[in-house]
Amino acid sequence: MAANKIKRREALKNIALGVGAMGISGSVFGQYANDNNEGVEHNMPIKLKGNINHSACRWCYQKIPLAEFAEKGKEIGLKAIDLLKPDEWKIVQNIGLECSLGTDTFASITEGFNNPKNHEKLQKQYTDLISKASSSGIKQVIVFSGNRNGISEEEGIENCAKGLDNLVKHAEKNKVTLVMELLNSKVDHKDYQCDHTPWGVTLVDKIGSSNFKLLYDIYHMQIMEGDIIATIRKYHTYINHYHTGGVPGRNEINDHQELNYPAIMQAIVDTGFKGYVAQEFIPTYDNPLKALAEGISICDV
């Protein structure tokens, strides 16, 4: 059993170091393969299957200038970058990537739509952001429930629905989808309200628009609920975007953590999903792009 685990680990490493950008040799993998991996064969590029639209969250790679990150990310299979602000959109678009999820500095995880005192300010800010996104070809914008702060589950749903109503209508006119992220309130975001899939699903049903969906973060929901594949199969029509991350720790998604990402990705593909899966783990490798390349290869089912 231990021997098999070691073999699998080595195989994943070799795949990650060998994957090229859609069959292009001499890729970024070759440049980074010698970082403590002497002797590993890495000059046999593998073409990505194309069943998953790969993205990555910008905040995990802040030490790399955005234009450089976009260039090298494109080489290893990225089609988009997540969680970019308006002044960053053109940078990646000029390199041939999309912004798969738009945001701005005002977007707050803790102060969201579940509290009516935030509505007026957020509605004004998001109306402008949705308009900017539409004119720049950005198809999705992230929103948050906010922390409970004593607000009941039912009241939180009602408040979010009221606060988002006009924004969703504005998003419909501008062909933009608002996605509310499911986050864990156990480890990373204490007291966050949209912390279980059924809560988010109830809100989606309450709003009743195809332009309001959920961002299903696999890392966060493994912590809160588990049962990832069954949940995806049951609620996939409510989900417009996915994030990854290793559990525990939110690091690489290889076999040092508990989730079986190839099986999860296959379940996503089986639902007919055509949106983006964005890597949102915190790299621990000396070279973070090598970690990202590994994550892409693991998810490329």
Side-chain angles (χ1 to χ4, degrees), residues 131-182:
S131 297
K132 287 179 181 177
S134 178
S135 63
S136 296
I138 311 301
K139 298 175 183 176
Q140 294 189 124
V141 167
I142 193 169
V143 298
F144 300 100
S145 67
N147 285 4
R148 289 179 175 85
N149 291 317
I151 297 170
S152 72
E153 305 301 87
E154 296 78 12
E155 187 181 3
I157 289 169
E158 290 292 330
N159 290 344
C160 281
K162 290 176 183 176
L164 286 162
D165 182 56
N166 286 335
L167 287 177
V168 172
K169 290 174 182 174
H170 182 59
E172 289 172 347
K173 293 176 184 177
N174 284 273
K175 298 182 180 179
V176 172
T177 299
L178 301 182
V179 292
M180 180 172 284
E181 186 165 14
L182 292 154

Coordinates of all heavy atoms in Angstrom, one line a residue, residues 131-182:
S131 N -21.6 47.0 -14.9 CA -21.6 47.8 -16.2 C -20.2 47.7 -16.8 O -20.0 47.5 -18.0 CB -22.0 49.2 -16.0 OG -23.3 49.3 -15.5
K132 N -19.1 47.9 -15.9 CA -17.8 47.8 -16.4 C -17.4 46.4 -16.9 O -16.8 46.3 -17.9 CB -16.8 48.2 -15.3 CG -16.7 49.6 -14.9 CD -15.8 49.9 -13.7 CE -15.7 51.3 -13.3 NZ -14.8 51.5 -12.2
A133 N -17.9 45.4 -16.2 CA -17.7 44.0 -16.6 C -18.3 43.7 -17.9 O -17.6 43.2 -18.8 CB -18.2 43.1 -15.5
S134 N -19.5 44.2 -18.1 CA -20.2 43.9 -19.3 C -19.5 44.6 -20.5 O -19.3 43.9 -21.6 CB -21.6 44.5 -19.3 OG -22.3 44.3 -20.5
S135 N -19.0 45.8 -20.3 CA -18.4 46.5 -21.4 C -17.0 46.0 -21.7 O -16.4 46.1 -22.8 CB -18.2 48.0 -21.1 OG -17.4 48.2 -20.0
S136 N -16.4 45.2 -20.8 CA -15.1 44.6 -21.0 C -15.2 43.1 -21.3 O -14.1 42.5 -21.4 CB -14.3 44.8 -19.7 OG -14.0 46.2 -19.5
G137 N -16.4 42.6 -21.5 CA -16.5 41.2 -21.8 C -16.3 40.2 -20.7 O -16.1 39.0 -20.9
I138 N -16.4 40.7 -19.4 CA -16.3 39.9 -18.2 C -17.7 39.3 -17.9 O -18.7 40.1 -17.8 CB -15.8 40.7 -17.0 CG1 -14.6 41.5 -17.4 CG2 -15.6 39.7 -15.8 CD1 -13.4 40.7 -17.9
K139 N -17.8 38.0 -17.8 CA -19.2 37.4 -17.7 C -19.6 37.1 -16.3 O -20.8 36.8 -16.1 CB -19.1 36.1 -18.5 CG -18.9 36.3 -20.0 CD -18.7 35.0 -20.8 CE -18.4 35.3 -22.3 NZ -18.2 34.1 -23.0
Q140 N -18.7 37.2 -15.3 CA -19.1 36.9 -14.0 C -18.5 37.9 -13.0 O -17.4 38.3 -13.2 CB -18.6 35.5 -13.6 CG -19.3 34.3 -14.3 CD -18.9 33.0 -13.7 OE1 -19.7 32.2 -13.4 NE2 -17.6 32.7 -13.6
V141 N -19.3 38.1 -11.9 CA -18.8 39.0 -10.8 C -19.2 38.3 -9.5 O -20.3 37.8 -9.4 CB -19.5 40.4 -10.9 CG1 -19.3 41.2 -9.7 CG2 -19.0 41.2 -12.2
I142 N -18.2 38.4 -8.6 CA -18.4 37.7 -7.3 C -19.2 38.6 -6.3 O -18.9 39.8 -6.2 CB -17.1 37.2 -6.7 CG1 -17.3 36.3 -5.6 CG2 -16.2 38.4 -6.3 CD1 -16.0 35.5 -5.1
V143 N -20.0 38.0 -5.5 CA -20.7 38.7 -4.4 C -20.6 37.8 -3.1 O -20.4 36.6 -3.2 CB -22.2 39.0 -4.7 CG1 -22.3 39.9 -5.9 CG2 -23.0 37.7 -4.9
F144 N -20.9 38.4 -2.0 CA -20.8 37.6 -0.7 C -22.0 37.9 0.2 O -22.6 39.0 0.1 CB -19.5 38.1 0.1 CG -18.2 37.8 -0.7 CD1 -17.6 38.9 -1.3 CD2 -17.7 36.6 -0.7 CE1 -16.4 38.7 -2.0 CE2 -16.5 36.3 -1.4 CZ -15.9 37.4 -2.1
S145 N -22.3 36.9 1.0 CA -23.5 37.1 1.9 C -23.1 38.0 3.0 O -24.0 38.8 3.5 CB -23.8 35.7 2.5 OG -22.8 35.2 3.4
G146 N -21.9 38.0 3.5 CA -21.5 38.7 4.7 C -21.6 37.8 6.0 O -22.1 36.7 5.9
N147 N -21.1 38.2 7.1 CA -21.2 37.5 8.3 C -22.6 37.6 8.9 O -23.3 38.6 8.7 CB -20.1 38.0 9.3 CG -18.7 37.6 9.0 OD1 -18.5 36.9 7.9 ND2 -17.8 37.9 9.8
R148 N -22.9 36.6 9.7 CA -24.2 36.6 10.4 C -24.4 37.7 11.3 O -25.4 38.4 11.2 CB -24.4 35.3 11.1 CG -24.6 34.0 10.2 CD -24.7 32.8 11.1 NE -25.0 31.6 10.2 CZ -24.0 30.9 9.7 NH1 -22.7 31.2 9.8 NH2 -24.3 29.8 8.9
N149 N -23.5 37.9 12.3 CA -23.7 38.9 13.3 C -25.1 38.9 13.9 O -25.7 39.9 14.1 CB -23.4 40.3 12.7 CG -22.0 40.5 12.3 OD1 -21.1 40.1 13.1 ND2 -21.7 41.1 11.1
G150 N -25.5 37.7 14.2 CA -26.8 37.5 14.9 C -28.0 37.4 14.0 O -29.1 37.2 14.4
I151 N -27.8 37.6 12.7 CA -28.9 37.5 11.7 C -29.2 36.0 11.5 O -28.3 35.2 11.2 CB -28.5 38.1 10.3 CG1 -28.2 39.6 10.6 CG2 -29.5 37.9 9.3 CD1 -27.6 40.3 9.4
S152 N -30.5 35.6 11.6 CA -30.9 34.2 11.4 C -30.7 33.8 9.9 O -30.6 34.6 9.0 CB -32.4 34.1 11.8 OG -33.2 34.7 10.8
E153 N -30.8 32.5 9.7 CA -30.6 31.9 8.4 C -31.7 32.4 7.5 O -31.4 32.8 6.3 CB -30.6 30.4 8.4 CG -29.6 29.8 9.4 CD -28.1 30.2 9.0 OE1 -27.7 31.2 9.5 OE2 -27.5 29.4 8.3
E154 N -32.9 32.4 7.9 CA -34.1 32.8 7.1 C -34.0 34.3 6.8 O -34.3 34.7 5.7 CB -35.4 32.5 7.8 CG -35.6 31.0 8.0 CD -34.9 30.4 9.2 OE1 -34.3 31.2 10.0 OE2 -34.8 29.1 9.3
E155 N -33.7 35.1 7.8 CA -33.6 36.5 7.6 C -32.4 36.9 6.7 O -32.5 37.8 5.9 CB -33.3 37.2 9.0 CG -33.4 38.7 9.0 CD -33.1 39.4 10.3 OE1 -32.8 38.6 11.3 OE2 -33.1 40.6 10.4
G156 N -31.3 36.1 6.8 CA -30.2 36.4 5.9 C -30.6 36.1 4.4 O -30.2 36.9 3.5
I157 N -31.3 35.1 4.2 CA -31.8 34.8 2.8 C -32.7 35.9 2.3 O -32.6 36.4 1.2 CB -32.5 33.4 2.8 CG1 -31.5 32.3 2.9 CG2 -33.3 33.3 1.4 CD1 -32.1 30.9 3.2
E158 N -33.7 36.3 3.1 CA -34.6 37.4 2.8 C -33.8 38.7 2.5 O -34.1 39.4 1.5 CB -35.6 37.6 3.9 CG -36.6 36.5 4.1 CD -37.6 36.4 2.9 OE1 -37.9 37.4 2.2 OE2 -38.0 35.3 2.6
N159 N -32.9 39.0 3.3 CA -32.1 40.3 3.2 C -31.3 40.2 1.9 O -31.2 41.2 1.1 CB -31.2 40.5 4.4 CG -32.1 40.9 5.6 OD1 -33.2 41.3 5.5 ND2 -31.4 40.8 6.8
C160 N -30.6 39.1 1.7 CA -29.8 39.0 0.5 C -30.6 39.1 -0.8 O -30.3 39.8 -1.8 CB -29.1 37.6 0.5 SG -27.6 37.6 1.5
A161 N -31.8 38.4 -0.8 CA -32.7 38.5 -2.0 C -33.1 39.9 -2.2 O -33.1 40.4 -3.4 CB -33.9 37.6 -1.7
K162 N -33.5 40.7 -1.2 CA -33.9 42.1 -1.4 C -32.7 42.9 -1.9 O -32.9 43.8 -2.8 CB -34.4 42.6 -0.1 CG -35.8 42.0 0.3 CD -36.2 42.6 1.7 CE -37.6 41.9 2.1 NZ -37.9 42.3 3.5
G163 N -31.6 42.7 -1.3 CA -30.4 43.5 -1.6 C -29.9 43.3 -3.0 O -29.3 44.2 -3.7
L164 N -30.1 42.1 -3.5 CA -29.6 41.7 -4.8 C -30.6 41.8 -5.9 O -30.2 41.7 -7.1 CB -29.1 40.2 -4.7 CG -27.8 40.0 -4.0 CD1 -27.6 38.5 -3.6 CD2 -26.6 40.4 -4.8
D165 N -31.8 42.0 -5.6 CA -32.9 42.0 -6.6 C -32.6 42.9 -7.8 O -32.5 42.5 -9.0 CB -34.2 42.3 -6.0 CG -35.4 42.3 -7.0 OD1 -35.5 41.2 -7.6 OD2 -36.0 43.3 -7.2
N166 N -32.4 44.2 -7.6 CA -32.2 45.2 -8.6 C -30.8 44.9 -9.3 O -30.7 45.1 -10.6 CB -32.2 46.6 -8.1 CG -33.6 47.0 -7.8 OD1 -34.6 46.5 -8.4 ND2 -33.8 48.0 -6.9
L167 N -29.8 44.4 -8.6 CA -28.5 44.1 -9.2 C -28.6 43.0 -10.1 O -28.0 43.0 -11.2 CB -27.5 43.9 -8.1 CG -27.0 45.1 -7.3 CD1 -26.0 44.6 -6.2 CD2 -26.4 46.1 -8.2
V168 N -29.4 42.0 -9.8 CA -29.5 40.8 -10.7 C -30.3 41.2 -12.0 O -29.9 40.8 -13.1 CB -30.3 39.7 -9.9 CG1 -30.7 38.6 -10.9 CG2 -29.5 39.1 -8.8
K169 N -31.2 42.1 -11.8 CA -31.9 42.6 -13.0 C -31.0 43.4 -13.9 O -31.0 43.3 -15.1 CB -33.1 43.5 -12.6 CG -34.3 42.7 -12.0 CD -35.3 43.6 -11.4 CE -36.4 42.8 -10.8 NZ -37.5 43.6 -10.1
H170 N -30.1 44.2 -13.3 CA -29.1 44.9 -14.0 C -28.1 44.0 -14.7 O -27.7 44.2 -15.8 CB -28.4 45.9 -13.1 CG -27.3 46.7 -13.7 ND1 -27.6 47.6 -14.7 CD2 -26.0 46.9 -13.5 CE1 -26.5 48.3 -15.1 NE2 -25.5 47.8 -14.4
A171 N -27.8 42.9 -14.0 CA -26.9 41.9 -14.5 C -27.5 41.2 -15.7 O -26.8 40.9 -16.7 CB -26.5 40.9 -13.4
E172 N -28.8 40.9 -15.6 CA -29.5 40.3 -16.7 C -29.4 41.1 -18.0 O -29.1 40.6 -19.1 CB -31.0 40.1 -16.4 CG -31.2 39.0 -15.3 CD -32.6 38.9 -14.8 OE1 -33.4 39.9 -15.1 OE2 -33.0 37.9 -14.2
K173 N -29.7 42.4 -17.8 CA -29.6 43.3 -19.0 C -28.2 43.4 -19.6 O -28.0 43.6 -20.8 CB -30.1 44.7 -18.6 CG -31.5 44.8 -18.2 CD -31.9 46.2 -17.7 CE -33.3 46.3 -17.2 NZ -33.6 47.6 -16.7
N174 N -27.2 43.2 -18.7 CA -25.8 43.3 -19.2 C -25.1 42.0 -19.5 O -23.9 42.0 -19.7 CB -25.0 44.1 -18.1 CG -25.3 45.6 -18.1 OD1 -24.7 46.4 -18.9 ND2 -26.2 46.0 -17.3
K175 N -25.9 40.9 -19.4 CA -25.4 39.6 -19.7 C -24.2 39.2 -18.8 O -23.2 38.7 -19.2 CB -25.0 39.5 -21.2 CG -26.2 39.7 -22.1 CD -25.9 39.5 -23.5 CE -27.1 39.7 -24.4 NZ -26.8 39.5 -25.9
V176 N -24.4 39.5 -17.5 CA -23.4 39.2 -16.5 C -24.1 38.3 -15.5 O -25.2 38.6 -15.1 CB -22.8 40.5 -15.8 CG1 -21.9 40.1 -14.6 CG2 -22.0 41.3 -16.9
T177 N -23.3 37.3 -14.9 CA -23.9 36.5 -13.9 C -23.2 36.8 -12.6 O -22.0 36.9 -12.5 CB -23.6 35.0 -14.2 OG1 -24.3 34.7 -15.4 CG2 -24.2 34.1 -13.1
L178 N -24.0 37.0 -11.5 CA -23.5 37.2 -10.2 C -23.4 35.9 -9.5 O -24.3 35.1 -9.6 CB -24.4 38.1 -9.4 CG -24.7 39.5 -9.9 CD1 -25.5 40.3 -9.0 CD2 -23.4 40.3 -10.2
V179 N -22.2 35.6 -8.9 CA -22.1 34.3 -8.2 C -21.7 34.6 -6.8 O -20.8 35.4 -6.5 CB -21.0 33.4 -8.9 CG1 -21.4 33.0 -10.2 CG2 -19.6 34.1 -9.0
M180 N -22.4 34.0 -5.9 CA -22.1 34.1 -4.4 C -21.3 32.9 -4.0 O -21.6 31.8 -4.2 CB -23.4 34.1 -3.6 CG -23.1 34.3 -2.1 SD -24.6 34.6 -1.1 CE -24.9 36.3 -1.5
E181 N -20.2 33.2 -3.3 CA -19.3 32.1 -2.9 C -19.7 31.5 -1.6 O -20.0 32.1 -0.7 CB -17.9 32.7 -2.8 CG -16.9 31.5 -2.5 CD -15.4 31.9 -2.7 OE1 -15.1 33.2 -2.8 OE2 -14.6 31.0 -2.8
L182 N -19.6 30.1 -1.7 CA -19.8 29.3 -0.5 C -18.5 29.2 0.2 O -17.5 28.7 -0.4 CB -20.3 27.9 -0.9 CG -21.7 27.8 -1.4 CD1 -21.9 26.6 -2.4 CD2 -22.7 27.7 -0.3

